[in-house]
Amino acid sequence: MNVLYFAWVKQKVGRGEEIVEHAPALRTVGDLAAMLAQRGGGYAEAFGDMTRLRVAVNQAHAGMDTVLAPGDEVAFFPPVTGG
Amino acid sequence: MNVLYFAWVKQKVGRGEEIVEHAPALRTVGDLAAMLAQRGGGYAEAFGDMTRLRVAVNQAHAGMDTVLAPGDEVAFFPPVTGG
Amino acid sequence: MITNIHIQAEDFDVSDEIAALTEETPQTGAVATFVGLVRGGDDLTALTLEHYPGMTEQQIARIAEDAARRWALTGITVIHRVGRLTPGERIVFVAVAAMHRAEAFEACEFLMDYLKTKAPFWKQEERGGAVQWVEAKLSDDAAAERWRRR
Amino acid sequence: MITNIHIQAEDFDVSDEIAALTEETPQTGAVATFVGLVRGGDDLTALTLEHYPGMTEQQIARIAEDAARRWALTGITVIHRVGRLTPGERIVFVAVAAMHRAEAFEACEFLMDYLKTKAPFWKQEERGGAVQWVEAKLSDDAAAERWRRR
């Protein structure tokens, strides 16, 4: 899966995107976020409080219980502040 | 008094403005309109049905019962159709 | 509050007008504008617009003052063209600058509703060879009327 | 219905954009536009905007389609700038062309409310030397929410 980060999420994890292998333990977006939080450091900061984050799967708004599949594009970002 | 005509009122009476001497018989806008209607021809056509006309005295919207004074600017025109 | 009101035969440039309105008001964050065009179709050849010089400018200035009292605005520009205009040409322009967008939108719509119904302009239509004065529309009166209740 | 959507670092010209939108739609009588500017004051030095390439364009296209279903429109242009912008610079532009003004105004405001609340853009503020991400505003959410009830 291609995992993307935007705004302060990108700054905290120190990168804009990375490849994460799909696995049975990463059934949902929530599983992926918990795994990323456990990496510690900037990841723990970014994913420590998931209420502060929004997520999209394959460029559509998604939730913590959205089920993941191999090849998915998963993006984590703060609430949008456009215009 | 300076009497102004706009749009089809101007076309019917054949002029854009004229001087009408203030007189005791022309106490109100209604008196002036009735006098103009009695001239016949285009004036009778323009002033025959006053419900089709709007009036301004000294550039402020007025009515048939608005009282006239020497030196007033009186304008007759159809309902506006701007923009 | 900057207010620009022009009744003119000449065309105008929307970018220039917005720039003139916002250059001197650094607190402006939002500009809502409206451009009215001569609508083609129905065999329309041209419109000719007439106004009441003096009264028209005065009425628009009063409406602009009213808008500035109702909403927190930083600037208003109103341009209304007169004379003969052909399909596709610009007739009317309103720009309202404000700190925030809700105020800019509301005031812009308010000004347009009043221009359409209260400002002394008269419109003549040419279709083929025939020329006819446009009748006032009730839908425009209703649009202007809703601002009274607020 | 013409739809133009651009996410770009470059500035744009409002007159050119309106002309491009109306030239091919002779039935257009009304163009409502909105220009959002970087508001000066409060020591703001600059804004930096980031977006989600691909998703942002797609979301805006969907919102434009939604607007075209709700109102009788002839064209929509949305331009949103990204990158670093200083006070007075244009950030966002929406133009809605329609036969009549009420539809143009409503759709323009609708698109702006959605751009502010739903489209994937993130804004960073520079004040003096300090840089900070802007938090989402509840007032913007409320503005977008009102369109649900219609």
Side-chain angles (χ1 to χ4, degrees):
Chain A
M1 301 180 292
N2 199 21
V3 183
L4 309 181
Y5 309 110
F6 293 100
W8 56 253
V9 183
K10 176 161 80 179
Q11 289 186 322
K12 285 191 192 296
V13 306
R15 66 184 73 188
E17 63 180 298
E18 64 183 303
I19 304 294
V20 174
E21 207 63 45
H22 185 263
L26 303 180
R27 206 180 64 87
T28 66
V29 168
D31 295 336
L32 173 60
M35 183 277 277
L36 292 168
Q38 282 170 7
R39 289 183 179 174
Y43 281 95
E45 278 180 40
F47 292 92
D49 177 5
M50 281 302 296
T51 65
R52 297 180 63 206
L53 293 186
R54 299 292 176 270
V55 64
V57 175
N58 299 324
Q59 305 197 353
H61 290 290
M64 284 300 119
D65 52 359
T66 300
V67 174
L68 297 173
D72 276 353
E73 178 176 296
V74 186
F76 293 100
F77 43 80
V80 303
T81 53
Chain B
M1 301 179 292
N2 199 21
V3 183
L4 309 181
Y5 309 110
F6 293 101
W8 56 254
V9 183
K10 176 161 80 178
Q11 288 186 323
K12 283 191 193 298
V13 306
R15 66 184 73 188
E17 64 179 298
E18 64 182 302
I19 304 293
V20 174
E21 206 64 44
H22 185 263
L26 303 181
R27 206 180 64 87
T28 66
V29 168
D31 296 335
L32 173 62
M35 182 276 277
L36 291 168
Q38 281 170 7
R39 288 183 180 173
Y43 281 94
E45 277 179 41
F47 291 92
D49 178 5
M50 281 302 297
T51 65
R52 299 179 63 206
L53 293 186
R54 299 291 176 271
V55 64
V57 174
N58 299 324
Q59 306 197 354
H61 290 291
M64 285 301 118
D65 52 358
T66 301
V67 174
L68 297 173
D72 275 353
E73 178 176 297
V74 186
F76 293 101
F77 44 79
V80 303
T81 54
Chain C
M1 244 286 299
I2 293 172
T3 308
N4 306 303
I5 295 166
H6 303 291
I7 314 296
Q8 60 189 45
E10 308 79 51
D11 195 13
F12 50 85
D13 183 85
V14 173
S15 298
D16 293 348
E17 295 301 331
I18 293 175
L21 192 59
T22 57
E23 258 161 19
E24 290 163 49
T25 56
Q27 71 276 34
T28 298
V31 184
T33 75
F34 181 84
V35 181
L37 305 170
V38 179
R39 203 163 51 238
D42 298 333
D43 297 325
L44 185 83
T45 320
L47 290 180
T48 301
L49 280 115
E50 190 179 317
H51 76 303
Y52 182 166
M55 183 174 174
T56 307
E57 290 83 347
Q58 206 184 90
Q59 293 267 306
I60 296 174
R62 223 176 276 170
I63 290 164
E65 280 165 30
D66 191 9
R69 269 193 300 273
R70 283 168 182 248
W71 293 284
L73 308 178
T74 56
I76 293 174
T77 295
V78 174
I79 301 176
H80 206 302
R81 290 178 70 191
V82 290
R84 191 171 182 276
L85 301 169
T86 53
E89 282 198 86
R90 283 171 277 271
I91 305 180
V92 60
F93 174 71
V94 173
V96 177
M99 288 181 70
H100 303 291
R101 72 183 183 284
E103 285 83 351
F105 273 121
E106 281 220 338
C108 188
E109 208 169 348
F110 167 84
L111 288 166
M112 273 309 303
D113 284 346
Y114 272 79
L115 280 175
K116 282 277 193 177
T117 49
K118 307 284 180 186
F121 290 101
W122 300 277
K123 218 169 4 189
Q124 214 176 25
E125 291 180 346
E126 290 177 41
R127 292 176 196 282
V131 174
Q132 195 168 11
W133 289 99
V134 176
E135 297 276 332
K137 273 190 298 184
L138 288 176
S139 66
D140 278 328
D141 277 333
E145 203 52 37
R146 69 193 157 123
W147 300 104
R148 288 216 180 182
R149 274 167 252 133
R150 299 206 181 171
Chain D
M1 245 286 297
I2 294 171
T3 307
N4 306 303
I5 296 167
H6 303 291
I7 314 297
Q8 61 191 41
E10 308 78 52
D11 196 10
F12 50 85
D13 183 85
V14 173
S15 299
D16 292 349
E17 295 301 332
I18 293 175
L21 193 59
T22 58
E23 259 162 17
E24 291 164 49
T25 57
Q27 70 276 32
T28 297
V31 184
T33 75
F34 181 84
V35 181
L37 305 171
V38 179
R39 202 163 51 239
D42 296 333
D43 297 324
L44 185 83
T45 319
L47 289 181
T48 302
L49 281 114
E50 190 178 317
H51 77 301
Y52 182 167
M55 183 174 174
T56 307
E57 290 83 347
Q58 206 184 91
Q59 294 267 307
I60 296 174
R62 224 176 276 169
I63 290 164
E65 281 165 29
D66 190 9
R69 269 192 300 273
R70 282 168 183 247
W71 294 282
L73 308 178
T74 56
I76 293 173
T77 295
V78 174
I79 301 176
H80 206 303
R81 291 178 71 191
V82 290
R84 191 171 182 276
L85 301 168
T86 53
E89 282 198 85
R90 282 171 278 273
I91 306 180
V92 61
F93 175 70
V94 173
V96 177
M99 288 182 69
H100 304 290
R101 73 183 184 283
E103 285 83 350
F105 273 122
E106 281 221 335
C108 189
E109 208 169 348
F110 168 84
L111 288 167
M112 272 308 305
D113 284 347
Y114 271 78
L115 280 176
K116 282 277 193 177
T117 49
K118 309 283 181 184
F121 290 99
W122 300 276
K123 218 169 3 188
Q124 213 176 26
E125 290 180 347
E126 290 177 42
R127 293 177 195 281
V131 175
Q132 196 168 10
W133 289 98
V134 176
E135 297 277 331
K137 272 191 299 184
L138 288 176
S139 66
D140 278 329
D141 277 333
E145 203 54 37
R146 70 193 157 125
W147 300 102
R148 287 216 178 182
R149 274 168 253 131
R150 299 203 183 175

